[in-house]
Amino acid sequence: MKNTQILILDFGSQYTQLLARRVREANIYTEVLPFDTSIEKIKEYPLLKGIILSGGPSSVYLQNAYKIDSEILNLDIAILGVCYGMQLLTQYFEGAVELADEQEFGKAIITIDDKKNSLFKNVNTDSQVWMSHADHVTKLPVDFKQIAHSNASIAAIAHNTKPIYGIQFHAEVTHSLQGKEMLENFLYDIAKCNKDWNLDDFIDQQIKEIKEIVKDKQVILGLSGGVDSSVAAAIIGKAIGKQLTCIFVDTGLLRKNETIEVMKAYETNFDINIKLVDASDLFFSELKGIKEPEAKRKVIGKCFIDVFTDVARQHKDADFLAQGTIYPDVIESSSHGASSKTIKSHHNVGGLPEDLKFKLIEPLRNLFKDEVRQVGFKLGLPEEMINRHPFPGPGLGIRVIEEVTKEKVEILQEVDAIFIKKLREWNLYNSVSQAFVTLLPVKTVGVMGDNRTYDYVVALRSVNTIDFMTATSTHLPWEFLDEVVNEIINKVDNVNRVVYDVTSKPPGTIEWE
Ligand code: XMP
């Protein structure tokens, strides 16, 4: 965007997105670009004040190490190298980087050597940081000085005359207790950025742009009931009202009463057209006999595309297809080469046939999830809609283990509804990141009254996570679990045993399939 003041060049660190969020939280608009972005491209940003070189898993001394266009170093802007970024700067300015004897992973204490340095304004002489490196700087680059050290490494360097800095640690991670101060010092004092990124302006700007682009044409949008598509619908609805038609596909694999609740929420909160398509019979018939998780995902994805294509054909008068794509989707789908991340494709667009030539509208494609939530609040969406736990595209289809049938889904819906209702009653819902139930293809023996039972086992799962890449199981109170189990066993037929999944990710994944 034209107000970008900071660019982050990505060398594939798992923390790159976090770095970008920290910059946005400082009210400065930033974008993440591949590490090998050309100088010409970088010069297209008229307000650019600084570049941050991210960390990355590689080593700068390897033959095929990822490099930047070195012309970048001659631009009259501030530069901060983080971890791999600092090692790369060291190499460009003729210092040395080698594999360390003592590698640092985890918390470390750094001691500031240059107390007066702007990077360390309001930072204690000894400060806890998060380190994650095997290589380290063994000879300072020419014209640089060491400004902080840890027991094992040179922790920060600064150019003697230019605003070029390197830090070996990850200031963006919360374990770096004063990392926020250091990043803000870089952004405000060194790069001299203005705090001009705010979501109110963003919303006004988007509404104006959507009006200009759409004019008097029609737009369709596939709603999932999740945060991203809801907020996209809200902002587009605000711009063009009834020119927007939202399509909500009932796959039969949604949570209990979800179809009714989602439709009601949209009808109450939005002045747009909403169309419910009941396709549950198709999904159940296509899923018949299929047990393997990936095969189920494929079938569900295909049914979804078929249904959506059908509906889209009926809306041939629509020129635009809107989507709730958000910035992490954009970063993860654009191959940065350096990135070790799995590349996701957007199944909702990817599969539409060629003859449906919609133009795309993606009003949230520059926003992070927490920013999307804030936009939702600002547009007046209800709290329950915005703070909903994520729900996977294939829905309960991957929470009924092995073959999916309507009967099994109904059992699971009942159990899951009890778990979620209880989490809300105990005020736990908003403190856990994602909670749900999985129905196992196992029956066990039990006793109810005087009778022997032989019924299904369900597994409760609740996790806490920041990025869903790693997660820990929630330490739910035992009394709470007791209450949930009692209600499930007493109220839901066909279930006589409940287990709680305490596996973290890794080694487990969040979903069972
Ligand atoms: P896993 O199970 O991979 O899940 O640890 C991480 C997060 O992604 C969600 N998830 C999915 N979302 N389609 C989706 O849209 C999928 O196929 C899918 N699989 C997992 C999961 O619910 C969790 O939030």
Side-chain angles (χ1 to χ4, degrees):
M1 294 211 303
K2 57 182 184 302
N3 58 341
T4 304
Q5 296 184 71
I6 294 285
L7 285 176
I8 296 175
L9 298 186
D10 181 20
F11 292 89
S13 163
Q14 56 176 324
Y15 300 126
T16 303
Q17 282 194 35
L18 195 54
L19 197 49
R21 277 175 50 201
R22 295 282 176 261
V23 178
R24 299 260 187 108
E25 281 161 16
N27 299 105
I28 293 161
Y29 187 75
T30 184
E31 283 178 27
V32 177
L33 294 180
F35 66 91
D36 55 356
T37 302
S38 69
I39 185 79
E40 289 75 26
K41 171 88 187 155
I42 286 172
K43 283 184 175 165
E44 286 170 15
Y45 290 85
L47 299 183
L48 194 65
K49 299 266 176 53
I51 290 184
I52 302 180
L53 309 175
S54 85
S58 177
S59 289
V60 292
Y61 47 75
L62 296 179
Q63 207 177 5
N64 294 325
Y66 301 126
K67 299 280 160 74
I68 49 169
D69 184 332
S70 57
E71 283 298 308
I72 289 172
L73 300 172
N74 298 325
L75 292 172
D76 191 17
I77 56 172
I79 294 182
L80 175 66
V82 177
C83 196
Y84 183 91
M86 157 160 151
Q87 295 165 6
L88 198 63
L89 288 173
T90 301
Q91 204 186 44
Y92 276 111
F93 288 93
E94 295 164 18
V97 176
E98 291 173 70
L99 183 64
D101 291 335
E102 194 182 332
Q103 304 178 346
E104 292 177 294
F105 289 99
K107 290 175 191 165
I109 300 293
I110 57 162
T111 303
I112 313 270
D113 302 311
D114 181 5
K115 279 291 290 169
K116 294 216 172 72
N117 199 291
S118 323
L119 190 68
F120 296 130
K121 194 176 82 183
N122 300 327
V123 174
N124 302 341
T125 307
D126 293 314
S127 191
Q128 180 189 303
V129 298
W130 185 255
M131 292 278 192
S132 176
H133 64 111
D135 296 337
H136 67 169
V137 173
T138 50
K139 180 175 147 241
L140 279 176
V142 175
D143 281 335
F144 276 75
K145 61 183 171 219
Q146 171 180 317
I147 55 170
H149 67 276
S150 72
N151 272 345
S153 66
I154 296 174
I157 56 173
H159 193 280
N160 289 326
T161 52
K162 297 180 180 178
I164 305 183
Y165 287 77
I167 52 176
Q168 183 55 70
F169 51 90
H170 289 275
E172 66 277 19
V173 173
T174 48
H175 298 298
S176 293
L177 298 180
Q178 293 181 297
K180 181 170 186 279
E181 283 80 358
M182 297 181 215
L183 282 178
E184 290 185 354
N185 289 338
F186 174 75
L187 297 168
Y188 302 144
D189 294 25
I190 296 167
K192 312 237 178 298
C193 293
N194 304 315
K195 291 188 192 182
D196 67 355
W197 167 242
N198 79 68
L199 292 172
D200 292 311
D201 291 351
F202 171 83
I203 293 170
D204 293 346
Q205 179 67 25
Q206 285 300 315
I207 290 176
K208 194 166 148 247
E209 273 179 28
I210 294 165
K211 281 184 179 155
E212 280 168 13
I213 295 171
V214 175
K215 298 194 176 74
D216 58 349
K217 302 285 195 296
Q218 299 290 317
V219 180
I220 57 169
L221 179 148
L223 279 181
S224 68
V227 183
D228 305 343
S229 60
S230 304
V231 175
I235 196 163
I236 299 170
K238 195 124 190 152
I240 58 166
K242 296 255 188 230
Q243 284 165 259
L244 172 65
T245 301
C246 289
I247 293 146
F248 182 55
V249 178
D250 181 357
T251 58
L253 305 170
L254 300 169
R255 285 189 146 126
K256 188 182 177 188
N257 292 336
E258 186 155 27
T259 312
I260 300 164
E261 281 166 16
V262 168
M263 288 300 287
K264 204 167 98 201
Y266 283 114
E267 276 157 5
T268 331
N269 291 288
F270 298 89
D271 186 24
I272 51 184
N273 298 310
I274 304 173
K275 191 166 174 175
L276 173 66
V277 182
D278 181 358
S280 50
D281 286 347
L282 174 74
F283 281 81
F284 284 122
S285 70
E286 292 294 313
L287 280 167
K288 203 161 187 275
I290 299 181
K291 289 186 170 179
E292 205 277 318
E294 278 312 301
K296 285 202 263 179
R297 272 198 170 71
K298 286 207 176 82
V299 166
I300 295 170
K302 183 174 181 307
C303 286
F304 204 90
I305 295 290
D306 288 350
V307 173
F308 203 80
T309 303
D310 240 24
V311 182
R313 287 228 161 86
Q314 295 158 27
H315 286 79
K316 268 232 158 113
D317 54 332
D319 283 60
F320 297 92
L321 175 72
Q323 290 202 133
T325 311
I326 68 171
Y327 199 45
D329 304 333
V330 175
I331 301 179
E332 280 161 28
S333 336
S334 69
S335 173
H336 285 190
S339 177
S340 53
K341 292 171 214 148
T342 337
I343 313 284
K344 276 196 244 162
S345 56
H346 304 170
H347 83 246
N348 39 353
V349 181
L352 282 185
E354 285 275 306
D355 67 310
L356 288 167
K357 288 198 169 40
F358 294 113
K359 285 172 241 163
L360 272 188
I361 299 188
E362 298 178 314
L364 311 176
R365 64 177 285 120
N366 290 319
L367 300 190
F368 285 107
K369 192 89 174 183
D370 46 334
E371 293 174 316
V372 170
R373 289 208 167 94
Q374 287 175 50
V375 168
F377 272 120
K378 284 174 187 291
L379 291 169
L381 295 191
E383 197 269 338
E384 315 84 71
M385 209 172 209
I386 291 170
N387 285 333
R388 292 181 108 196
H389 294 170
F391 185 66
L396 302 185
I398 54 166
R399 292 182 181 168
V400 169
I401 306 301
E402 298 198 341
E403 188 182 7
V404 182
T405 62
K406 196 165 182 219
E407 295 67 34
K408 286 184 179 175
V409 167
E410 279 167 8
I411 296 171
L412 179 57
Q413 282 174 330
E414 294 301 325
V415 178
D416 181 80
I418 292 172
F419 186 34
I420 301 298
K421 178 191 76 175
K422 285 280 171 202
L423 282 167
R424 288 196 188 279
E425 278 175 17
W426 280 61
N427 271 333
L428 290 166
Y429 185 85
N430 285 336
S431 63
V432 312
S433 310
Q434 189 172 9
F436 59 90
V437 185
T438 297
L439 180 75
L440 309 189
V442 175
K443 286 190 169 183
T444 68
V445 175
V447 53
M448 280 280 258
D450 293 331
N451 294 321
R452 175 187 188 272
T453 59
Y454 185 58
D455 281 320
Y456 285 115
V457 186
V458 293
L460 312 182
R461 182 127 172 90
S462 173
V463 293
N464 283 75
T465 168
I466 293 178
D467 54 10
F468 294 88
M469 311 277 277
T470 60
T472 49
S473 78
T474 316
H475 291 208
L476 289 172
W478 210 246
E479 300 73 24
F480 166 79
L481 287 171
D482 267 347
E483 213 176 285
V484 174
V485 173
N486 270 336
E487 186 158 338
I488 292 173
I489 304 289
N490 285 327
K491 291 207 176 144
V492 186
D493 290 341
N494 305 111
V495 173
N496 70 353
R497 193 175 295 268
V498 181
V499 295
Y500 185 54
D501 179 359
V502 291
T503 321
S504 58
K505 172 184 178 177
T509 48
I510 296 175
E511 304 288 346
W512 280 45
E513 286 197 334

